[in-house]
Amino acid sequence: MHWPHSRARRVRLLALLAVGAAASVLMTPRPAHAYVLWNVYWQNNGNIQYCESSMTGNDTTAFNNALGNWNGQGLPIHFSGGSCGVHIFDENDGANGYTGYTSYSYGSTGCNGWGRLSSVSSKLNPYYTNNEGVQEVQSTAAHELGHALGLGHTSDQGTLMYPNEYRYINRGVYTPQADDRSGISYIYNSCGGK
């Protein structure tokens, strides 16, 4: 006579365990940070000078929007036109697999043994960007500017520094996200003027 009552109790218990397991998977917190550093930074208290070379309309709009997005985050950095610390441009490199590319050089080492940036080149490839919408190109431009500030690639698709266009296609990311901002804050609050 106790079998149906015990069985019902076991079914309820199993159902509660299943719900609890599903909730724990869905509510697992993201890591405190996923950002990756290139171990380089701008020494000039976060005032980063940039210059633009002639670009196609889509690329110009995307870079200007990306600059505004980085500047509008309340971060300890600011892009401003002037001398050419960061050179932003586009160059048709054909089907090389890269929509954007950033390279840098640094002089001496400073804070944390990191390199002090002396020049950065961030470019877009119109071979690809001419076939994309402005926000998708902006995602690439803002990503390249993240490199220009000292951020590396992350494995988190929900961040701007994810290394391919799936950050935009799958997540709609085209502006700096919380993790990207945390990485920049870490770099420039630690080393900005040093």
Side-chain angles (χ1 to χ4, degrees):
M1 275 294 154
H2 292 288
W3 173 251
H5 183 62
S6 297
R7 183 173 180 214
R9 190 176 309 156
R10 278 185 270 173
V11 168
R12 278 194 304 258
L13 181 60
L14 287 173
L16 283 172
L17 288 173
V19 168
S24 71
V25 167
L26 294 173
M27 298 176 68
T28 301
R30 290 179 56 185
H33 67 79
Y35 61 80
V36 175
L37 307 178
W38 269 2
N39 299 335
V40 293
Y41 68 102
W42 291 98
Q43 183 182 6
N44 52 357
N45 293 316
N47 183 27
I48 295 121
Q49 301 280 310
Y50 73 92
C51 63
E52 293 180 28
S53 293
S54 67
M55 291 186 274
T56 62
N58 207 26
D59 291 351
T60 300
T61 301
F63 258 127
N64 287 332
N65 289 349
L67 289 162
N69 286 139
W70 275 110
N71 283 346
Q73 299 293 320
L75 295 168
I77 57 98
H78 184 81
F79 285 104
S80 59
S83 67
C84 206
V86 178
H87 181 207
I88 55 178
F89 61 103
D90 67 6
E91 178 176 59
N92 193 328
D93 290 328
N96 67 357
Y98 294 99
T99 306
Y101 186 82
T102 296
S103 60
Y104 66 89
S105 61
Y106 63 92
S108 60
T109 56
C111 176
N112 297 331
W114 297 350
R116 292 180 176 130
L117 288 165
S118 55
S119 68
V120 172
S121 293
S122 292
K123 70 177 178 177
L124 297 174
N125 183 356
Y127 180 86
Y128 298 108
T129 60
N130 285 344
N131 299 311
E132 298 174 345
V134 172
Q135 284 185 335
E136 188 170 356
V137 178
Q138 181 180 332
S139 178
T140 302
H143 172 92
E144 297 307 323
L145 292 173
H147 286 318
L149 294 169
L151 291 177
H153 288 150
T154 178
S155 60
D156 184 347
Q157 224 180 71
T159 66
L160 188 60
M161 296 313 296
Y162 188 73
N164 65 41
E165 68 275 1
Y166 293 113
R167 70 181 166 270
Y168 177 76
I169 294 168
N170 293 344
R171 302 286 180 96
V173 174
Y174 61 95
T175 60
Q177 302 299 296
D179 194 70
D180 306 306
R181 294 188 300 267
S182 293
I184 293 303
S185 292
Y186 177 78
I187 294 169
Y188 291 93
N189 287 332
S190 299
C191 297
K194 300 175 186 168

